[in-house]
Amino acid sequence: MLTYTESLNEELDKLACYIGCDFEGRFTRVRTEETNMGNWCADLCRSELQTDFGLSNGGSLRANSVFKEGPLTYRFINAILPMTDKVVKVMLTGQQMKDVLENGVSMWPKMDGRWPLTSGLKFKFDPSRPPLDRIIAGSLKDDFGVAIEMEKQYTLASKYFISTGKDGFSAFLEKSIFRFP
């Protein structure tokens, strides 16, 4: 009979997936720039809830290492995302999305956990501008290069932690943002 620890170790060592390149998870990267691990995390949120966009934060990635190309076990995924946090679906305007992202880049270049990990979105920001006014006008676009309309409604999959205003994401607290059950 396996002990609980042996059983858990057996489950954690099972193959979750294969990665076709090195997976960048160092804090100096996932909290200051776009990385493939950050994109993967946001893509998982987006694909799971089938939303227009996905968002997580660099502080949710905790492995602080590079995972080499090849098999990725559940043990490694647990090292990457050790905190239990559900993913939620919200509906918000393009302007509210911009406000959320402004918070994400507000502390750059500080290695801060609020750094935005996005899926389906592209934008440019100017770090010389004041915090909460750094995203360059007209640069917020979807993956196809289509400009995000400020008044249009979009769906977003996000980590629950930031959707409740944590890490400075107070834009999520606007009453007009619809939260799906």
Side-chain angles (χ1 to χ4, degrees):
M1 176 127 214
L2 293 177
T3 67
Y4 174 77
T5 302
E6 292 169 330
S7 178
L8 178 61
N9 281 328
E10 194 174 275
E11 289 299 312
L12 288 172
D13 289 333
K14 287 184 178 176
L15 177 69
C17 62
Y18 286 94
I19 51 176
C21 60
D22 289 354
F23 225 22
E24 177 58 70
R26 291 173 288 182
F27 291 165
T28 56
R29 299 289 178 78
V30 298
R31 293 176 181 219
T32 60
E33 64 187 73
E34 182 178 12
T35 65
N36 56 0
M37 185 182 288
N39 290 346
W40 171 77
C41 182
D43 288 344
L44 286 174
C45 293
R46 180 182 176 199
S47 65
E48 182 65 25
L49 295 184
Q50 300 179 358
T51 57
D52 298 317
F53 308 113
L55 178 71
S56 188
N57 60 318
S60 66
L61 304 179
R62 296 300 181 107
N64 197 24
S65 61
V66 175
F67 292 88
K68 294 296 182 187
E69 174 182 358
L72 192 66
T73 65
Y74 287 103
R75 182 178 305 281
F76 288 132
I77 291 176
N78 189 59
I80 295 167
L81 295 163
M83 297 170 290
T84 302
D85 189 17
K86 62 185 172 182
V87 178
V88 297
K89 182 177 180 179
V90 299
M91 184 178 295
L92 69 176
T93 65
Q95 180 61 55
Q96 290 166 326
M97 174 74 70
K98 180 183 177 290
D99 294 345
V100 164
L101 295 171
E102 285 283 7
N103 173 67
V105 299
S106 67
M107 296 294 193
W108 194 91
K110 182 181 175 190
M111 200 172 60
D112 193 82
R114 72 184 65 212
W115 179 258
L117 311 176
T118 63
S119 175
L121 288 169
K122 301 175 190 180
F123 66 93
K124 295 177 184 175
F125 75 102
D126 180 351
S128 69
R129 294 185 55 85
L132 305 179
D133 188 31
R134 292 182 168 179
I135 294 179
I136 297 170
S139 73
L140 185 55
K141 299 179 179 182
D142 67 17
D143 276 346
F144 302 103
V146 177
I148 302 301
E149 297 175 39
M150 293 298 112
E151 300 304 316
K152 184 176 176 182
Q153 297 280 327
Y154 298 94
T155 55
L156 173 73
S158 175
K159 300 282 292 234
Y160 176 78
F161 176 80
I162 60 177
S163 79
T164 60
K166 303 287 195 294
D167 266 351
F169 284 95
S170 59
F172 274 118
L173 302 178
E174 287 188 32
K175 293 183 191 243
S176 62
I177 294 179
F178 178 76
R179 298 175 191 291
F180 289 84

